[in-house]
Amino acid sequence: MQFGIFTVGDLTADPTTGRIPTEHERIKSMVAIALKAEEVGLDVFATGEHHNPPFVPSSPTTMLGHIAARTERIILSTSTTLITTNDPVKIAEDFAMLQHLADGRVDLMMGRGNTGPVYPWFGKDIRQGIPLAIENYALLHQLWREDVVDWQGRFRTPLQGFTSTPRPLDGIPPFVWHGSIRSPEIAEQAAYYGDGFFANHIFWPTEHFQRLVNLYRERYAHYGHGTPEQAVVGLGGHVFMRRNSQDAVREFRPYFDHSPVMGGGPSLEEYVERTPLTVGSPQEVIDKTLTFREHFGDYQRQLFAVDAAGLPLKTVLEQLDLLGEEVVPVLRKEFATGRPAHVPDAPTHASLLAHRDTLALNDREESVK
């Protein structure tokens, strides 16, 4: 089981001071958060991709490459990479390069994003969002697995005898998660390829995400990749902690009330009751996160949002200390308890390489018989 954090890199005013960080400050704070995540023992740091205010991470591979040079262990990911508006050829090149620089500590999450105007900015039609996601990923999948590609589709110029460079590290493409908050077609796509499926699992009730995950598991088995329980599932989550719940609620309330996403509707208490958001003590975060297995089955990756809504960097780093010291060690132990042996761990470059080598060895032994 992998634990980590994901960020959208928003520029939001701190409601307690009215101050909005500069782009430079926010970018540097994201780096500091990633470094802190490795320091406290988390497994994954993931950054979103946006091309509009109030967000700063327009070039995830640039940021992750910088973080890769300053870390040794943590897996670097996206949350998400825009498969609809990026050229699949450029994605193939950029992430293979990052994979080499990070010695394999890279995976990525494909998604369509949540900003409609981005489509015409990159010459795309939002009405073609799903077909773009399907076709572009089919090409990306091929580019990473075939040295020479001939290809023709609806949305980009044809390729003839094209080789994407650099080739994936050790011939193993980065593992891909497909992220969605609403689209069964994306769950189907993840299942078809035997890739991972990441349910954002914030803002909306758990029941909504259960339907997507259940569909993905059923279709994963349908396509012959394994049993439904062996499908590779990741979940989001949103937490704010202090050592006692009263302090957490009191401190987080202004950030919730003024949030451009969460504020203006149900109260904080109602929101916590209806969604996966946890505001309280470390034990309350542990207790609520453990219920996710009841809703989704055994899964492979849990990422938490900890830095949105204008929270200052100092507060975010304190959240990471609590995650690393008090929450994740307990979650690791509890999630491991009773986990069936046939449920796989989250794929890594090392595990994918070992699996390929094992298959090759078995093939050689069979050919000798």
Coordinates of all heavy atoms in Angstrom, one line a residue, residues 2-88:
Q2 N 0.6 2.1 -0.9 CA 1.4 3.4 -1.0 C 0.5 4.5 -0.4 O -0.7 4.6 -0.7 CB 1.7 3.7 -2.5 CG 2.7 2.7 -3.1 CD 2.9 3.0 -4.6 OE1 2.1 3.8 -5.2 NE2 3.9 2.5 -5.2
F3 N 1.2 5.4 0.3 CA 0.6 6.6 0.8 C 1.4 7.8 0.3 O 2.6 7.8 0.3 CB 0.6 6.6 2.3 CG -0.2 5.4 2.9 CD1 0.4 4.2 3.2 CD2 -1.6 5.6 3.1 CE1 -0.4 3.2 3.7 CE2 -2.3 4.6 3.6 CZ -1.7 3.3 3.9
G4 N 0.6 8.9 0.0 CA 1.3 10.1 -0.4 C 0.3 11.3 -0.4 O -0.8 11.2 0.2
I5 N 0.7 12.3 -1.1 CA -0.1 13.5 -1.2 C -0.2 14.0 -2.7 O 0.6 13.6 -3.5 CB 0.6 14.7 -0.4 CG1 2.0 14.9 -0.8 CG2 0.5 14.4 1.1 CD1 2.6 16.2 -0.2
F6 N -1.3 14.7 -3.0 CA -1.4 15.3 -4.3 C -1.9 16.7 -4.1 O -2.6 17.1 -3.2 CB -2.3 14.5 -5.2 CG -3.8 14.3 -4.8 CD1 -4.8 14.5 -5.7 CD2 -4.2 14.0 -3.5 CE1 -6.1 14.4 -5.4 CE2 -5.5 13.9 -3.1 CZ -6.5 14.1 -4.1
T7 N -1.4 17.5 -5.1 CA -1.7 19.0 -5.0 C -2.2 19.5 -6.4 O -1.7 18.9 -7.4 CB -0.4 19.7 -4.6 OG1 -0.7 21.1 -4.7 CG2 0.8 19.4 -5.5
V8 N -3.0 20.5 -6.4 CA -3.4 21.1 -7.6 C -2.7 22.4 -7.8 O -2.8 23.0 -8.9 CB -5.0 21.4 -7.7 CG1 -5.7 20.1 -7.6 CG2 -5.4 22.3 -6.5
G9 N -1.9 22.8 -6.9 CA -1.1 24.0 -7.0 C -1.9 25.3 -7.2 O -1.5 26.2 -8.0
D10 N -2.9 25.5 -6.4 CA -3.8 26.6 -6.5 C -3.2 27.8 -5.8 O -2.4 27.7 -4.8 CB -5.1 26.3 -5.9 CG -5.1 25.9 -4.4 OD1 -4.2 25.1 -4.1 OD2 -5.8 26.5 -3.6
L11 N -3.5 29.0 -6.3 CA -3.2 30.3 -5.7 C -4.5 30.8 -5.1 O -5.3 31.4 -5.8 CB -2.7 31.3 -6.7 CG -1.2 31.1 -7.3 CD1 -1.0 32.0 -8.4 CD2 -0.2 31.3 -6.2
T12 N -4.6 30.6 -3.8 CA -5.9 31.0 -3.1 C -5.5 31.9 -1.9 O -4.5 31.6 -1.2 CB -6.6 29.7 -2.6 OG1 -6.9 28.9 -3.7 CG2 -7.9 30.1 -1.9
A13 N -6.3 32.9 -1.7 CA -6.0 33.8 -0.6 C -6.2 33.1 0.7 O -7.1 32.3 0.9 CB -7.0 35.0 -0.7
D14 N -5.3 33.4 1.7 CA -5.4 32.9 3.0 C -6.5 33.8 3.7 O -6.3 35.0 3.9 CB -4.1 33.0 3.8 CG -4.1 32.5 5.2 OD1 -5.2 32.5 5.8 OD2 -3.1 32.1 5.7
P15 N -7.7 33.2 4.0 CA -8.8 34.0 4.6 C -8.4 34.7 5.9 O -9.1 35.6 6.3 CB -9.9 33.0 4.7 CG -9.3 31.7 4.8 CD -8.0 31.8 4.0
T16 N -7.4 34.2 6.6 CA -7.1 34.7 7.9 C -6.2 36.0 7.8 O -6.1 36.8 8.7 CB -6.4 33.7 8.8 OG1 -5.1 33.4 8.3 CG2 -7.2 32.5 9.0
T17 N -5.6 36.1 6.6 CA -4.7 37.3 6.4 C -5.0 38.1 5.1 O -4.6 39.2 5.0 CB -3.2 36.8 6.2 OG1 -3.1 36.0 5.0 CG2 -2.8 36.0 7.5
G18 N -5.8 37.4 4.2 CA -6.1 38.1 2.9 C -5.0 38.0 1.9 O -5.2 38.5 0.8
R19 N -3.9 37.4 2.3 CA -2.7 37.4 1.4 C -2.8 36.2 0.4 O -3.1 35.1 0.8 CB -1.4 37.3 2.2 CG -0.2 37.5 1.3 CD 1.1 37.5 2.1 NE 2.3 37.8 1.3 CZ 2.9 36.9 0.6 NH1 2.4 35.6 0.6 NH2 3.9 37.2 -0.2
I20 N -2.5 36.5 -0.9 CA -2.4 35.5 -1.9 C -0.9 35.3 -2.2 O -0.2 36.3 -2.5 CB -3.1 35.9 -3.2 CG1 -4.6 36.1 -2.9 CG2 -2.9 34.8 -4.2 CD1 -5.3 36.7 -4.1
P21 N -0.3 34.1 -2.1 CA 1.1 33.9 -2.5 C 1.4 34.2 -3.9 O 0.5 34.1 -4.8 CB 1.3 32.4 -2.2 CG 0.0 31.8 -2.3 CD -1.0 32.8 -1.8
T22 N 2.6 34.7 -4.2 CA 3.0 34.9 -5.5 C 3.2 33.5 -6.2 O 3.3 32.5 -5.6 CB 4.3 35.7 -5.6 OG1 5.4 34.8 -5.1 CG2 4.2 37.0 -4.8
E23 N 3.2 33.6 -7.6 CA 3.5 32.3 -8.3 C 4.8 31.7 -7.9 O 4.9 30.5 -7.7 CB 3.5 32.6 -9.8 CG 2.1 32.9 -10.4 CD 2.1 33.2 -11.9 OE1 3.1 33.8 -12.3 OE2 1.2 32.9 -12.5
H24 N 5.8 32.6 -7.7 CA 7.1 32.1 -7.3 C 7.0 31.4 -5.9 O 7.6 30.3 -5.8 CB 8.1 33.2 -7.3 CG 9.5 32.8 -6.9 ND1 10.4 32.1 -7.7 CD2 10.2 33.0 -5.7 CE1 11.5 31.9 -7.1 NE2 11.4 32.4 -5.8
E25 N 6.4 32.0 -5.0 CA 6.2 31.4 -3.7 C 5.5 30.1 -3.7 O 5.9 29.1 -3.1 CB 5.5 32.4 -2.8 CG 6.3 33.6 -2.4 CD 5.5 34.7 -1.7 OE1 4.2 34.7 -1.9 OE2 6.1 35.5 -0.9
R26 N 4.4 30.0 -4.5 CA 3.6 28.8 -4.6 C 4.4 27.6 -5.2 O 4.4 26.5 -4.8 CB 2.3 29.0 -5.4 CG 1.4 27.8 -5.3 CD 0.9 27.6 -3.9 NE -0.2 26.6 -3.9 CZ -0.2 25.4 -3.4 NH1 1.0 24.9 -3.0 NH2 -1.2 24.6 -3.4
I27 N 5.2 28.0 -6.3 CA 6.0 26.9 -6.9 C 7.0 26.4 -6.0 O 7.2 25.2 -5.8 CB 6.6 27.5 -8.2 CG1 5.5 27.7 -9.3 CG2 7.7 26.6 -8.8 CD1 6.0 28.5 -10.5
K28 N 7.7 27.3 -5.3 CA 8.7 26.9 -4.3 C 8.1 26.1 -3.2 O 8.7 25.2 -2.6 CB 9.5 28.1 -3.8 CG 10.4 28.8 -4.8 CD 11.6 27.9 -5.1 CE 12.6 28.6 -6.0 NZ 13.8 27.8 -6.2
S29 N 6.9 26.5 -2.8 CA 6.3 25.8 -1.7 C 5.9 24.4 -2.1 O 6.0 23.4 -1.3 CB 5.0 26.5 -1.2 OG 3.9 26.4 -2.1
M30 N 5.5 24.2 -3.3 CA 5.2 22.8 -3.8 C 6.5 21.9 -3.7 O 6.4 20.7 -3.4 CB 4.6 22.8 -5.2 CG 3.3 23.5 -5.3 SD 2.7 23.8 -7.0 CE 2.5 22.1 -7.5
V31 N 7.6 22.5 -4.1 CA 8.9 21.7 -4.0 C 9.2 21.4 -2.5 O 9.5 20.3 -2.2 CB 10.0 22.5 -4.6 CG1 11.4 21.8 -4.4 CG2 9.8 22.7 -6.1
A32 N 9.0 22.4 -1.6 CA 9.2 22.1 -0.2 C 8.3 21.1 0.3 O 8.7 20.2 1.1 CB 9.0 23.4 0.6
I33 N 7.1 21.0 -0.1 CA 6.1 20.0 0.3 C 6.5 18.6 -0.2 O 6.5 17.7 0.6 CB 4.7 20.4 -0.2 CG1 4.2 21.6 0.5 CG2 3.7 19.2 -0.1 CD1 3.0 22.2 -0.2
A34 N 7.0 18.5 -1.4 CA 7.5 17.3 -1.9 C 8.7 16.8 -1.1 O 8.8 15.6 -0.8 CB 7.9 17.4 -3.4
L35 N 9.6 17.6 -0.8 CA 10.8 17.2 -0.1 C 10.4 16.8 1.3 O 10.9 15.8 1.9 CB 11.8 18.4 0.0 CG 12.4 18.9 -1.3 CD1 13.4 20.0 -1.1 CD2 13.0 17.8 -2.1
K36 N 9.5 17.5 1.9 CA 9.0 17.1 3.3 C 8.3 15.8 3.2 O 8.4 15.0 4.2 CB 8.0 18.2 3.8 CG 7.5 18.0 5.2 CD 8.6 18.2 6.2 CE 8.1 18.2 7.6 NZ 9.1 18.4 8.6
A37 N 7.5 15.5 2.1 CA 6.8 14.2 2.0 C 7.8 13.1 2.0 O 7.6 12.0 2.7 CB 6.0 14.2 0.7
E38 N 8.9 13.2 1.4 CA 10.0 12.2 1.4 C 10.6 12.1 2.8 O 10.8 11.0 3.3 CB 11.0 12.4 0.4 CG 12.2 11.4 0.5 CD 13.1 11.3 -0.7 OE1 12.8 10.6 -1.6 OE2 14.2 11.9 -0.6
E39 N 10.8 13.2 3.4 CA 11.5 13.3 4.7 C 10.6 12.5 5.8 O 11.2 11.8 6.6 CB 11.7 14.7 5.2 CG 12.2 14.9 6.6 CD 12.2 16.3 7.1 OE1 12.4 17.2 6.2 OE2 11.9 16.5 8.2
V40 N 9.3 12.7 5.7 CA 8.5 12.0 6.7 C 8.1 10.6 6.4 O 7.3 10.0 7.1 CB 7.2 12.9 7.0 CG1 7.6 14.3 7.5 CG2 6.3 12.9 5.8
G41 N 8.6 10.1 5.2 CA 8.4 8.7 4.9 C 7.2 8.4 4.0 O 6.8 7.2 3.9
L42 N 6.6 9.4 3.4 CA 5.5 9.1 2.4 C 6.1 8.5 1.1 O 7.3 8.6 0.8 CB 4.7 10.3 2.1 CG 4.1 11.0 3.3 CD1 3.2 12.2 2.8 CD2 3.3 10.0 4.1
D43 N 5.3 7.8 0.3 CA 5.7 7.1 -0.8 C 5.6 7.9 -2.1 O 6.3 7.6 -3.1 CB 4.9 5.8 -1.0 CG 5.0 4.9 0.3 OD1 6.1 4.6 0.7 OD2 3.9 4.6 0.8
V44 N 4.6 8.8 -2.2 CA 4.3 9.4 -3.5 C 4.0 10.9 -3.3 O 3.4 11.3 -2.3 CB 3.0 8.8 -4.1 CG1 2.6 9.4 -5.4 CG2 3.1 7.3 -4.2
F45 N 4.6 11.7 -4.3 CA 4.2 13.1 -4.4 C 3.6 13.3 -5.8 O 4.2 12.9 -6.8 CB 5.4 14.0 -4.2 CG 5.0 15.5 -4.6 CD1 4.4 16.3 -3.7 CD2 5.4 16.0 -5.8 CE1 4.0 17.6 -4.0 CE2 5.1 17.3 -6.2 CZ 4.4 18.1 -5.3
A46 N 2.4 13.8 -5.9 CA 1.8 14.0 -7.2 C 1.3 15.5 -7.4 O 0.8 16.1 -6.5 CB 0.6 13.1 -7.3
T47 N 1.5 16.0 -8.6 CA 1.2 17.4 -8.9 C 0.2 17.4 -10.1 O 0.2 16.5 -11.0 CB 2.4 18.2 -9.3 OG1 1.9 19.5 -9.7 CG2 3.2 17.6 -10.4
G48 N -0.8 18.3 -10.0 CA -1.7 18.5 -11.1 C -1.1 19.2 -12.3 O 0.1 19.6 -12.2
E49 N -1.9 19.3 -13.3 CA -1.5 20.1 -14.5 C -2.6 21.1 -14.8 O -3.7 20.7 -15.1 CB -1.2 19.2 -15.7 CG -0.9 20.0 -17.0 CD -0.8 19.2 -18.2 OE1 -0.7 17.9 -18.1 OE2 -0.7 19.8 -19.3
H50 N -2.3 22.4 -14.8 CA -3.3 23.4 -15.2 C -2.6 24.5 -16.0 O -1.4 24.7 -15.9 CB -3.8 24.1 -13.9 CG -4.7 23.2 -13.1 ND1 -6.1 23.0 -13.4 CD2 -4.5 22.4 -12.0 CE1 -6.6 22.2 -12.5 NE2 -5.7 21.8 -11.7
H51 N -3.4 25.1 -16.9 CA -2.8 26.1 -17.8 C -3.6 27.5 -17.6 O -3.6 28.2 -18.6 CB -2.9 25.6 -19.2 CG -2.0 24.4 -19.4 ND1 -0.7 24.4 -19.7 CD2 -2.4 23.1 -19.3 CE1 -0.2 23.2 -19.8 NE2 -1.2 22.4 -19.6
N52 N -4.1 27.7 -16.4 CA -4.9 28.9 -16.2 C -4.8 29.3 -14.8 O -4.6 28.5 -13.9 CB -6.3 28.6 -16.6 CG -6.9 27.5 -15.8 OD1 -6.6 26.3 -16.0 ND2 -7.8 27.8 -14.8
P53 N -4.9 30.6 -14.5 CA -5.1 31.1 -13.1 C -6.3 30.4 -12.5 O -7.3 30.2 -13.3 CB -5.2 32.6 -13.2 CG -4.7 32.9 -14.6 CD -5.0 31.7 -15.5
P54 N -6.4 30.2 -11.2 CA -5.4 30.5 -10.2 C -4.4 29.3 -9.9 O -4.1 29.1 -8.7 CB -6.3 30.8 -9.0 CG -7.4 29.8 -9.1 CD -7.6 29.7 -10.6
F55 N -3.9 28.6 -10.9 CA -3.1 27.5 -10.7 C -1.7 27.7 -11.3 O -1.6 28.5 -12.3 CB -3.7 26.2 -11.3 CG -5.1 25.9 -10.8 CD1 -6.2 26.3 -11.6 CD2 -5.3 25.3 -9.6 CE1 -7.5 26.0 -11.2 CE2 -6.6 25.0 -9.2 CZ -7.7 25.4 -9.9
V56 N -0.7 27.1 -10.8 CA 0.7 27.4 -11.3 C 1.4 26.2 -12.0 O 2.3 26.4 -12.7 CB 1.6 27.8 -10.1 CG1 1.1 29.2 -9.6 CG2 1.8 26.8 -9.0
P57 N 0.9 24.9 -11.8 CA 1.7 23.8 -12.3 C 1.4 23.5 -13.8 O 0.8 22.5 -14.1 CB 1.4 22.6 -11.4 CG 0.0 22.9 -11.0 CD -0.1 24.4 -10.8
S58 N 1.9 24.4 -14.7 CA 1.6 24.2 -16.1 C 2.6 23.2 -16.7 O 2.4 22.7 -17.8 CB 1.7 25.5 -16.9 OG 3.0 26.1 -16.7
S59 N 3.7 22.9 -16.1 CA 4.7 22.0 -16.6 C 5.2 21.0 -15.6 O 6.2 21.1 -14.9 CB 6.0 22.9 -17.1 OG 7.0 22.0 -17.6
P60 N 4.3 20.0 -15.4 CA 4.6 19.0 -14.3 C 6.0 18.3 -14.4 O 6.7 18.1 -13.4 CB 3.5 18.0 -14.4 CG 2.4 18.8 -15.1 CD 3.0 19.7 -16.0
T61 N 6.4 18.0 -15.6 CA 7.7 17.3 -15.8 C 8.9 18.1 -15.4 O 9.9 17.6 -14.9 CB 7.9 16.7 -17.2 OG1 7.7 17.8 -18.1 CG2 6.9 15.6 -17.4
T62 N 8.7 19.4 -15.6 CA 9.8 20.3 -15.2 C 9.9 20.3 -13.7 O 11.0 20.2 -13.1 CB 9.6 21.8 -15.7 OG1 9.4 21.8 -17.1 CG2 10.7 22.7 -15.3
M63 N 8.8 20.5 -13.0 CA 8.8 20.5 -11.5 C 9.3 19.1 -11.0 O 10.1 19.1 -10.1 CB 7.4 20.8 -11.0 CG 7.3 20.6 -9.5 SD 5.8 21.3 -8.8 CE 6.2 23.0 -8.8
L64 N 8.7 18.0 -11.5 CA 9.1 16.7 -11.0 C 10.5 16.4 -11.3 O 11.2 15.7 -10.5 CB 8.2 15.7 -11.6 CG 6.7 15.8 -11.2 CD1 5.8 14.7 -11.9 CD2 6.5 15.7 -9.7
G65 N 11.1 16.9 -12.4 CA 12.5 16.7 -12.7 C 13.4 17.3 -11.7 O 14.4 16.8 -11.2
H66 N 13.0 18.6 -11.3 CA 13.7 19.3 -10.2 C 13.6 18.5 -8.9 O 14.6 18.4 -8.2 CB 13.1 20.7 -10.1 CG 13.7 21.5 -9.0 ND1 15.0 22.0 -9.1 CD2 13.2 21.9 -7.8 CE1 15.2 22.7 -7.9 NE2 14.2 22.6 -7.2
I67 N 12.4 18.1 -8.6 CA 12.3 17.3 -7.3 C 13.1 16.0 -7.4 O 13.6 15.6 -6.4 CB 10.8 17.1 -7.1 CG1 10.1 18.4 -6.8 CG2 10.6 16.2 -5.9 CD1 8.6 18.3 -6.8
A68 N 13.1 15.4 -8.5 CA 13.8 14.1 -8.7 C 15.3 14.3 -8.3 O 15.9 13.4 -7.7 CB 13.7 13.6 -10.1
A69 N 15.8 15.4 -8.7 CA 17.3 15.7 -8.4 C 17.5 15.9 -6.9 O 18.7 15.8 -6.5 CB 17.7 16.9 -9.3
R70 N 16.5 16.2 -6.2 CA 16.7 16.6 -4.8 C 16.1 15.5 -3.8 O 16.1 15.7 -2.6 CB 16.0 17.9 -4.5 CG 16.6 19.1 -5.3 CD 16.0 20.4 -5.0 NE 16.2 20.7 -3.6 CZ 15.7 21.8 -3.0 NH1 14.9 22.7 -3.7 NH2 16.0 22.1 -1.7
T71 N 15.7 14.4 -4.4 CA 15.1 13.3 -3.6 C 15.8 12.0 -4.0 O 16.4 11.9 -5.0 CB 13.6 13.2 -3.7 OG1 13.3 13.0 -5.2 CG2 12.9 14.4 -3.2
E72 N 15.5 10.9 -3.2 CA 16.1 9.7 -3.5 C 15.1 8.5 -3.6 O 15.4 7.5 -4.2 CB 17.2 9.3 -2.4 CG 18.3 10.3 -2.3 CD 19.3 9.9 -1.2 OE1 19.0 8.9 -0.5 OE2 20.4 10.6 -1.1
R73 N 14.0 8.6 -2.9 CA 13.1 7.5 -2.8 C 11.7 7.7 -3.3 O 11.1 6.8 -3.8 CB 13.1 7.1 -1.3 CG 12.3 5.9 -1.0 CD 12.1 5.7 0.6 NE 11.5 6.9 1.2 CZ 10.2 7.2 1.1 NH1 9.4 6.4 0.5 NH2 9.8 8.3 1.7
I74 N 11.2 8.9 -3.1 CA 9.7 9.1 -3.3 C 9.4 8.9 -4.8 O 10.1 9.3 -5.7 CB 9.3 10.5 -2.7 CG1 7.8 10.5 -2.5 CG2 9.8 11.6 -3.6 CD1 7.4 11.7 -1.7
I75 N 8.2 8.3 -5.0 CA 7.7 8.2 -6.4 C 7.1 9.5 -6.8 O 6.3 10.2 -6.0 CB 6.6 7.1 -6.4 CG1 7.3 5.7 -6.2 CG2 6.0 7.1 -7.8 CD1 6.3 4.6 -6.0
L76 N 7.4 10.0 -8.0 CA 6.9 11.2 -8.5 C 5.8 11.0 -9.6 O 6.0 10.2 -10.5 CB 8.0 12.0 -9.2 CG 9.2 12.2 -8.2 CD1 10.4 12.8 -9.0 CD2 8.9 13.0 -7.0
S77 N 4.7 11.6 -9.4 CA 3.5 11.3 -10.3 C 2.8 12.6 -10.6 O 3.2 13.7 -10.2 CB 2.6 10.4 -9.5 OG 1.5 10.0 -10.4
T78 N 1.8 12.5 -11.4 CA 0.9 13.6 -11.8 C -0.5 13.3 -11.3 O -0.9 12.2 -11.0 CB 0.9 13.9 -13.3 OG1 0.5 12.7 -14.0 CG2 2.2 14.4 -13.7
S79 N -1.3 14.4 -11.2 CA -2.7 14.3 -10.8 C -3.6 15.4 -11.3 O -4.2 16.1 -10.5 CB -2.7 14.3 -9.2 OG -2.2 15.5 -8.7
T80 N -3.6 15.6 -12.6 CA -3.4 14.7 -13.7 C -2.5 15.2 -14.8 O -2.1 16.4 -14.7 CB -4.8 14.3 -14.3 OG1 -5.3 15.5 -14.9 CG2 -5.8 13.8 -13.3
T81 N -2.2 14.3 -15.8 CA -1.7 14.8 -17.0 C -2.8 14.8 -18.0 O -3.6 13.9 -18.2 CB -0.6 13.7 -17.5 OG1 0.5 13.7 -16.6 CG2 -0.1 14.1 -18.9
L82 N -2.9 16.0 -18.7 CA -4.1 16.2 -19.6 C -3.9 15.4 -20.9 O -3.3 15.9 -21.9 CB -4.2 17.7 -19.9 CG -4.5 18.5 -18.6 CD1 -4.6 20.0 -19.0 CD2 -5.7 18.1 -17.8
I83 N -4.5 14.3 -21.0 CA -4.4 13.4 -22.2 C -5.2 14.0 -23.3 O -4.9 13.6 -24.5 CB -4.8 12.0 -21.8 CG1 -4.5 11.0 -23.0 CG2 -6.3 12.0 -21.5 CD1 -3.1 10.9 -23.3
T84 N -6.1 14.9 -23.1 CA -6.9 15.4 -24.2 C -6.3 16.6 -24.9 O -6.4 16.7 -26.1 CB -8.2 15.9 -23.6 OG1 -7.9 16.7 -22.4 CG2 -9.2 14.8 -23.2
T85 N -5.5 17.4 -24.2 CA -5.0 18.6 -24.9 C -3.5 18.6 -25.1 O -2.9 19.4 -25.8 CB -5.3 19.9 -24.0 OG1 -4.9 19.7 -22.7 CG2 -6.8 20.1 -24.1
N86 N -2.8 17.6 -24.5 CA -1.4 17.4 -24.8 C -1.2 16.5 -26.0 O -2.0 15.5 -26.2 CB -0.7 16.8 -23.6 CG -0.4 17.8 -22.5 OD1 0.2 18.8 -22.7 ND2 -0.8 17.5 -21.3
D87 N -0.2 16.7 -26.7 CA 0.2 15.8 -27.8 C 0.7 14.5 -27.2 O 1.7 14.5 -26.4 CB 1.2 16.4 -28.7 CG 1.6 15.6 -29.9 OD1 1.1 14.4 -30.0 OD2 2.3 16.1 -30.8
P88 N 0.2 13.3 -27.6 CA 0.7 12.1 -27.0 C 2.2 11.8 -27.3 O 2.9 11.2 -26.5 CB -0.1 11.0 -27.7 CG -1.4 11.7 -28.2 CD -1.0 13.1 -28.4

